[in-house]
Amino acid sequence: MNCPKRSETALLQTLTRSYPELLGVEKRDLRLEDIDPDVNYRIEPECEYDPDAKADLVIKNACLNDGRKANIAIAGNIITRVGSADEIDQVIGSTTKILDAKGNSVSPGFVDSHLHLDVAMQRLGTLTIEDVETAADFKKRLRKYAKENSSSPILYVFGLHYFDDPIIPAETCRQTLDEIVNDKPLLVFAHDMHTAWANTRAVEEAELLHKMPPYPPLIKELGLEQKIIVDSNGIPTGEFREPDVYSFLEGPLQAKYPSSVEQQLSDLEVVCKQLAGYGITGVHRMALAQPAEDLSFLLLLLELEQQDRLPIRVSSSFSSVADHNMLNDVLIGYAARDLLTKARKKEITAAQLHDRLLELLKDAGTDRHEKVKKMAAKGGHGANHPMMNELVKVSRKLTDIIHKKHIGQHAKRENPHQKNSMPEHIKYHAKIRLDTLKIFMDGVIEKDTAYRLDKDPSQGIPEFNQDDLDRILAFADRLGIQVAAHSIGDGSVKSMLDAISKARKINKDIDKKRGDRIPHRVEHIETCSQEDLPRFGKLDVIASMQPLHERGPMTMWHTLVPKSEWNTAFAWKETLVDDATLVFGSDWPIVSCDPRAGINHAVTRKPWYEGARNQSVSLNEAVAAYTSGAALSEYCQNIKGEIKSGMLADMVILSGNIKKLEKESFNLEIETTICDGKVVYMKQS
């Protein structure tokens, strides 16, 4: 499975790999000792509450996950009592709303610890064709989609699979698509996001409809010209291979047709409501290696929450890219987290928070290009480099695209928090958090871009070499920032654990002052060496995995990974040794986000061959990975992840007993989802 990555980021990484003498030289500008450590204790204190307060909401006849029968009282957004009917009746008032669980399971709300809200929003209103297998079906579905979206200025299609007889022939790509849509740009993406197909209008509006050469800047110098398919006259046919190449197509079109802030807010609300329908009360949004996008998204979250339109909690993250601006990315993210903390404490207003985040957003969108310009200036270390002028052109183009996609829409609006209808401050227990730095170490097994110990890595893998990884881990850890690293292969997992181990030693005195160690995360862990499995518990590292990524033999994955390594693949059970914390997520919208399916698969998984070790987990362990484990990951173990007095009221009422998920087939529906004390989803009768 593959975490999506923005095409402009893929291009930036290709440039960094190709010209390290230009784009890698400033990684060491910031020294650890130049940065004051953040020694603040990050774990949230227990909630203050009045157990005698009249309840706003009561759940009767609940069966808790441990089998206890209970009734639950909620006042405001906090669980105030869990006990017998008599105990709860004492706090029922004339306005108390009562829900009857009818003896069914009531669980802490599920948290998806790894998904991509941005991608889910982007795919609203688009066409997904994962199941299309014939050209006739493709054309039929696309015509219907185009007719239903006749007012849209641009059309996007996702999920097309490759076939021996291609549905979109490379030689006649534009003509094939023009027969269906010719009055507006149309972009079709492969299921693995490694190929994009475009109609004539799209190629023309991206200013690529001309004889090549000349190619877009640096395409030939980077050896990528063969990935733009051209006809006998040198004109692009409309097929562009790999994200770093189709960024020259997709980027300009996204910049020309950006989604308005109002539309993005609406889309974000829609996808969060979809998640609430699965019993999800919180998510960990994983960044996609685009720092400006992360801050733009934080502004959306802030506005949606202040409008009381955010139905679930979102623990967001910010990106750092392995280039000349690596450590500055961390500082910008740290500044954003610091501002959010001050706003929760009412040291600044929501309007002030918005303005300061907007300034950080502008910095995140321009600081890379500013450094490139300094390199090119007289006296700069790149002034005499033969590729410097072309690099400046590409950098300027990328910066312009990022500005139009992520910055311009916010910058031209008035501060929405200055309206009288908006609260002056955000709540202390805001639904928004920003604690995590997200980085990519490698790619995927299926594309031979995972960093594995059993073979030589492909070009550019790992994305962070060990020295730079050690540095960014120690740097982030010093600032009290959790690092989450996309690590598919066992080489990436080992590198990440090694870097965390070094950071623990370097910052041990800081940890003593904090009173706790930062719970860094390793994401995916599809393969892991036997000797590294116990290190998760020993180093207090969170294993973040996705149950529905695992599938039994035989798939392409199994043909690429030796059978000798299968025993420690997707090793959910063995990562739990030494009291390690396991969290589960989905990678949605790439994979289903349904926690019931995830729990069921984690519990019922079978060994891959006779005599293989069983890596399935118990029902309690699987549920914990979606509840209490996720709470610990975001410093919230004192306030969420359990149903008991003093916890935030995040719960899900099921249609039966949660133990049904222990069977291979199950019928268990989500009846009601409660987040922050409010019903955010109720099944229609």
Side-chain angles (χ1 to χ4, degrees):
M1 298 298 175
N2 188 21
C3 274
K5 190 182 292 184
R6 298 308 190 197
S7 59
E8 59 265 27
T9 300
L11 175 59
L12 179 61
Q13 290 172 331
T14 298
L15 293 171
T16 302
R17 290 196 299 268
S18 301
Y19 304 112
E21 69 278 14
L22 295 176
L23 300 180
V25 293
E26 296 185 42
K27 287 180 179 178
R28 309 190 186 285
D29 274 2
L30 297 173
R31 298 182 303 166
L32 277 180
E33 53 271 25
D34 292 337
I35 303 298
D36 291 333
D38 187 322
V39 296
N40 291 307
Y41 185 65
R42 305 227 61 84
I43 297 175
E44 294 292 338
E46 295 179 358
C47 298
E48 296 181 1
Y49 70 100
D50 179 3
D52 296 320
K54 290 299 180 184
D56 296 301
L57 178 64
V58 161
I59 302 173
K60 289 193 169 185
N61 303 312
C63 178
L64 304 184
N65 287 346
D66 60 8
R68 286 181 296 141
K69 306 298 182 183
N71 297 271
I72 305 163
I74 299 167
N77 65 341
I78 297 176
I79 300 171
T80 54
R81 291 191 179 192
V82 178
S84 67
D86 289 342
E87 291 173 304
I88 301 305
D89 285 345
Q90 296 171 15
V91 293
I92 293 178
S94 59
T95 60
T96 302
K97 181 178 180 179
I98 298 176
L99 297 176
D100 187 357
K102 302 177 182 178
N104 295 323
S105 288
V106 177
S107 172
F110 300 127
V111 176
D112 188 312
S113 290
H114 188 115
L115 51 58
H116 305 285
L117 288 175
D118 322 55
V119 179
M121 290 164 58
Q122 181 187 5
R123 295 195 179 183
L124 284 178
T126 67
L127 176 64
T128 299
I129 53 172
E130 291 274 358
D131 57 339
V132 165
E133 296 182 356
T134 67
D137 191 22
F138 170 73
K139 292 176 181 179
K140 178 182 177 182
R141 297 267 291 274
L142 184 51
R143 285 194 178 98
K144 182 174 184 290
Y145 166 63
K147 183 178 180 180
E148 292 173 348
N149 293 271
S150 58
S151 61
S152 298
I154 184 169
L155 299 178
Y156 293 99
V157 179
F158 294 93
L160 184 64
H161 282 267
Y162 306 110
F163 296 95
D164 291 336
D165 184 13
I167 287 178
I168 305 177
E171 301 79 9
T172 58
C173 170
R174 287 190 289 107
Q175 293 86 340
T176 299
L177 295 178
D178 288 347
E179 290 177 6
I180 309 168
V181 177
N182 60 20
D183 61 337
K184 64 185 67 176
L186 167 66
L187 280 181
V188 181
F189 293 94
H191 71 100
D192 61 2
M193 298 300 291
H194 281 270
T195 305
W197 297 274
N199 68 353
T200 298
R201 188 71 174 267
V203 178
E204 183 178 33
E205 292 195 16
E207 299 181 358
L208 297 173
L209 193 63
H210 59 79
K211 184 177 181 180
M212 295 189 181
Y215 292 95
L218 290 177
I219 284 290
K220 187 172 183 179
E221 291 80 0
L222 293 170
L224 301 175
E225 67 271 25
Q226 298 301 318
K227 296 182 180 181
I228 300 178
I229 309 305
V230 298
D231 61 21
S232 57
N233 296 316
I235 308 295
T237 67
E239 180 170 311
F240 297 78
R241 298 172 182 172
E242 299 303 333
D244 49 2
V245 172
Y246 69 65
S247 65
F248 289 96
L249 171 75
E250 180 190 32
L253 291 173
Q254 288 183 337
K256 185 173 182 178
Y257 300 103
S259 180
S260 69
V261 171
E262 289 73 21
Q263 184 62 54
Q264 291 178 66
L265 289 168
S266 176
D267 290 346
L268 178 56
E269 183 179 17
V270 167
V271 298
C272 287
K273 284 182 176 179
Q274 290 176 353
L275 292 163
Y278 288 102
I280 292 172
T281 58
V283 299
H284 296 169
R285 171 201 168 263
M286 287 293 144
L288 300 172
Q290 178 49 266
E293 180 178 41
D294 303 328
L295 290 169
S296 171
F297 198 86
L298 187 60
L299 287 172
L300 295 176
L301 287 171
L302 174 64
E303 186 169 347
L304 203 66
E305 173 158 25
Q306 292 300 91
Q307 292 176 350
D308 198 25
R309 294 168 57 195
L310 184 63
I312 62 174
R313 302 185 191 279
V314 179
S315 182
S316 198
S317 60
F318 54 94
S319 307
S320 181
V321 181
D323 69 357
H324 60 293
N325 211 52
M326 175 180 81
L327 297 182
N328 201 51
D329 290 338
V330 182
L331 289 176
I332 288 177
Y334 173 72
R337 187 195 70 178
D338 186 54
L339 287 171
L340 194 58
T341 300
K342 288 179 178 178
R344 289 177 58 201
K345 296 178 179 179
K346 294 183 170 54
E347 295 175 10
I348 58 175
T349 65
Q352 290 170 327
L353 173 61
H354 174 93
D355 284 341
R356 295 181 191 182
L357 288 175
L358 183 57
E359 290 305 310
L360 286 177
L361 170 59
K362 293 175 181 177
D363 289 343
T366 59
D367 52 5
R368 278 180 166 77
H369 183 55
E370 290 302 315
K371 288 188 176 181
V372 170
K373 288 198 300 184
K374 288 181 181 178
M375 294 177 203
K378 186 176 181 180
H381 66 265
N384 298 319
H385 195 283
M387 292 296 107
M388 196 69 240
N389 288 338
E390 293 299 298
L391 185 60
V392 171
K393 290 180 185 178
V394 176
S395 177
R396 184 184 299 115
K397 191 175 187 69
L398 285 173
T399 302
D400 182 58
I401 289 170
I402 289 169
H403 186 276
K404 290 177 179 177
K405 283 175 61 176
H406 303 302
I407 303 172
Q409 296 288 329
H410 290 290
K412 67 184 181 183
R413 297 173 79 222
E414 293 185 3
N415 188 323
H417 302 277
Q418 292 178 341
K419 297 178 181 178
N420 292 333
S421 59
M422 296 286 269
E424 182 180 6
H425 294 281
I426 69 171
K427 295 183 293 187
Y428 180 79
H429 289 304
K431 291 180 181 175
I432 309 166
R433 296 189 67 90
L434 183 71
D435 299 302
T436 307
L437 169 70
K438 169 71 187 307
I439 63 174
F440 281 82
M441 279 297 292
D442 60 1
V444 294
I445 297 288
E446 291 84 349
K447 288 292 178 180
D448 199 29
T449 52
Y451 179 32
R452 293 164 52 183
L453 296 173
D454 64 330
K455 59 187 304 182
D456 293 333
S458 55
Q459 184 185 20
I461 300 299
E463 293 190 14
F464 287 82
N465 63 50
Q466 193 65 53
D467 286 344
D468 290 331
L469 183 64
D470 292 346
R471 187 162 185 78
I472 199 170
L473 250 297
F475 192 72
D477 190 83
R478 184 179 180 87
L479 294 174
I481 295 171
Q482 177 188 71
V483 179
H486 172 113
S487 305
I488 294 285
D490 53 1
S492 289
V493 175
K494 180 177 178 57
S495 290
M496 186 64 179
L497 292 172
D498 287 348
I500 294 170
S501 178
K502 293 170 188 174
R504 297 283 190 237
K505 294 175 183 176
I506 292 170
N507 296 328
K508 61 181 180 180
D509 291 336
I510 298 172
D511 287 338
K512 287 180 181 178
K513 292 179 181 178
R514 284 194 192 116
D516 196 47
R517 301 205 290 189
I518 302 301
H520 299 298
R521 300 170 45 140
V522 183
E523 306 295 317
H524 303 305
I525 322 173
E526 291 193 4
T527 62
C528 184
S529 63
Q530 184 65 54
E531 57 268 26
D532 282 331
L533 285 171
R535 300 176 72 192
F536 286 91
K538 292 175 181 176
L539 290 171
D540 292 326
V541 177
I542 291 168
S544 173
M545 305 172 84
Q546 298 72 43
L548 297 182
H549 280 197
E550 187 273 341
R551 52 269 186 222
M554 290 291 295
T555 68
M556 182 180 182
W557 191 100
H558 299 89
T559 65
L560 295 172
V561 177
K563 190 174 181 179
S564 59
E565 296 183 24
W566 289 6
N567 263 330
T568 55
F570 303 93
W572 309 325
K573 189 70 173 181
E574 290 187 57
T575 56
L576 283 168
V577 298
D578 291 323
D579 296 320
T581 298
L582 173 68
V583 299
F584 279 156
S586 64
D587 230 2
W588 186 73
I590 312 304
V591 179
S592 168
C593 63
D594 190 342
R596 294 165 298 176
I599 292 170
N600 174 255
H601 188 75
V603 172
T604 62
R605 172 185 173 181
K606 299 293 188 293
W608 285 356
Y609 59 90
E610 186 175 350
R613 296 208 292 273
N614 189 346
Q615 295 291 357
S616 65
V617 295
S618 70
L619 178 63
N620 288 341
E621 289 167 337
V623 171
Y626 277 105
T627 55
S628 57
L632 184 146
S633 174
E634 55 188 84
Y635 307 102
C636 291
Q637 58 264 47
N638 289 332
I639 60 172
K640 60 194 286 279
E642 297 181 62
I643 295 179
K644 66 179 185 180
S645 300
M647 290 283 181
L648 294 176
D650 296 354
M651 287 172 280
V652 56
I653 303 175
L654 303 173
S655 66
N657 196 296
I658 199 168
K659 289 186 177 181
K660 288 184 177 181
L661 297 179
E662 293 178 311
K663 299 179 180 180
E664 289 197 19
S665 61
F666 64 90
N667 180 17
L668 191 65
E669 297 184 13
I670 305 297
E671 293 286 341
T672 305
T673 305
I674 299 165
C675 181
D676 210 39
K678 295 181 179 179
V679 174
V680 294
Y681 169 80
M682 184 171 285
K683 190 183 78 172
Q684 298 298 312
S685 58

